Amino acid sequence: MDQVKATTAFVANSSSHVVVDSAGIEKAVENIQGKIPKIEWDFEGIHYFDNGPLTVQYLFVLDTLNFCFWPDKKLSYDDLASGLKEALENDKSVFDADHLQKFTGLQLRNLLKWPRPLPLEDERIRLLHEVGFELERSFGGKASNLVQSCGRSAAKLVATIASHFPDTLQGYLNNDSTMDVLGFRDHSVYKGHQIFLYKRAQIFAADLYGAFKGQGYGEFNDISSITIFADYIVPAMLWKLGVLKYSSALASIIESNKEIASGSEEEVELRACSIYAVEKMRDLISVKLGKQVWWN
């Protein structure tokens, strides 16, 4: 994940709207040191797991659809994860690559037992079609083949996903006025430089590691290279901790719940500075503990 770390550091050092506060990092680390809980991946029992290729397929479909829940106040990630789990338990072929290419919005709603159109339903269906097509074309229809092709490297897995799978840079307003970026090839141009973030591709690698407990399909020799996944929640939490500080103009936009355009300086800075800040927090905790840590 050197690209992610290097390019987000460039943003943090060039930022006009977001500041990573060193004193805030020190204080936050002092407050959380020794208090970071170790949470089991499926502690709520909402995910499918059979310790085999079907779990990998399930996770890839789940992470393909894991975006933009906020417009429907009753819809959550838990609904998606548990709904897909039940669908796979009822039909082991439901997420076969050829089936993914034929999904309709109504079929997805029925799988999830959701009574109304999903937020960005057309985009979700488009992504399923493209994922199914590329899995069939390049990986024999199986996400497990995609994972095995990467030789136990999380960084190579993220890079492979980014090179093969959908690229959509449309942004949509969420409830903290920042933007969700769709697709796995998550990057932006900032002040003439390409910035790599790869939120959901990294989530897939981390989900595999968590689900398989670092064994089998979840065994990666470089899992500590994964960064945090910069969504709209992370900047808000870092701001509350005093780790991030906003310009008065950006603070006004956020307070008034105005849209922050995808790919704008503000949006890129919020996400990139979050990654940079947490890497700095991790480095500091590692120094204090005398060993490397990563966010699992």
Side-chain angles (χ1 to χ4, degrees), residues 5-277:
K5 293 174 184 178
T7 60
T8 55
F10 169 78
V11 174
N13 291 322
S14 308
S15 179
S16 305
H17 309 282
V18 181
V19 173
V20 178
D21 187 85
S22 297
I25 288 176
E26 289 273 358
K27 184 176 180 180
V29 167
E30 286 298 325
N31 289 337
I32 68 175
Q33 188 179 344
K35 301 176 184 176
I36 303 174
K38 184 174 179 61
I39 299 174
E40 290 296 322
W41 173 79
D42 196 30
F43 71 101
E44 293 177 320
I46 59 174
H47 297 97
Y48 178 87
F49 185 74
D50 69 350
N51 203 36
L54 270 181
T55 296
V56 182
Q57 197 85 355
Y58 162 82
L59 289 174
F60 201 52
V61 172
L62 173 63
D63 290 333
T64 297
L65 298 172
N66 180 16
F67 62 89
C68 195
F69 301 101
W70 65 269
D72 190 325
K73 301 302 182 184
K74 294 186 177 181
L75 180 66
S76 71
Y77 170 84
D78 289 7
D79 296 308
L80 178 65
S82 59
L84 296 179
K85 172 186 177 181
E86 184 176 348
L88 188 54
E89 288 173 338
N90 291 333
D91 179 2
K92 301 301 185 187
S93 69
V94 67
F95 301 137
D96 286 358
D98 58 335
H99 290 183
L100 293 177
Q101 295 175 67
K102 299 171 184 175
F103 258 95
T104 66
L106 179 59
Q107 287 174 325
L108 181 57
R109 269 179 266 152
N110 288 340
L111 277 187
L112 300 178
K113 297 181 180 177
W114 203 249
R116 52 190 168 273
L118 298 161
L120 303 181
E121 184 172 279
D122 289 346
E123 185 66 13
R124 284 184 156 89
I125 296 304
R126 188 187 70 79
L127 291 171
L128 283 179
H129 290 176
E130 294 188 9
V131 162
F133 173 79
E134 187 60 24
L135 281 177
E136 187 171 66
R137 182 176 71 169
S138 299
F139 301 101
K142 298 184 182 299
S144 57
N145 291 339
L146 161 65
V147 174
Q148 289 181 316
S149 74
C150 296
R152 298 178 181 174
S153 169
K156 185 175 180 181
L157 176 60
V158 170
T160 302
I161 291 171
S163 68
H164 278 272
F165 290 92
D167 170 31
T168 302
L169 297 180
Q170 296 168 288
Y172 296 89
L173 180 66
N174 65 40
N175 61 346
D176 275 315
S177 294
T178 56
M179 310 296 290
D180 280 329
V181 178
L182 311 183
F184 286 108
R185 196 175 299 151
D186 178 10
H187 50 73
S188 298
V189 175
Y190 174 82
K191 296 183 178 180
H193 293 258
Q194 194 165 25
I195 310 302
F196 301 91
L197 301 165
Y198 294 151
K199 169 191 165 186
R200 283 166 51 226
Q202 292 195 85
I203 288 176
F204 178 57
D207 278 347
L208 288 167
Y209 180 84
F212 290 91
K213 300 185 184 302
Q215 303 296 316
Y217 291 109
E219 182 178 357
F220 298 109
N221 298 325
D222 57 353
I223 190 62
S224 63
S225 68
I226 294 295
T227 71
I228 57 108
F229 321 126
D231 61 9
Y232 62 87
I233 297 173
V234 175
M237 292 305 301
L238 292 175
W239 176 80
K240 289 180 181 178
L241 288 171
V243 172
L244 295 185
K245 296 188 181 301
Y246 302 154
S247 68
S248 57
L250 177 57
S252 177
I253 291 171
I254 292 173
E255 288 167 7
S256 60
N257 203 36
K258 292 180 181 177
E259 179 177 331
I260 297 176
S262 177
S264 66
E265 281 195 4
E266 294 88 346
E267 189 258 357
V268 175
E269 288 178 10
L270 282 166
R271 300 181 72 213
C273 287
S274 295
I275 293 173
Y276 178 79

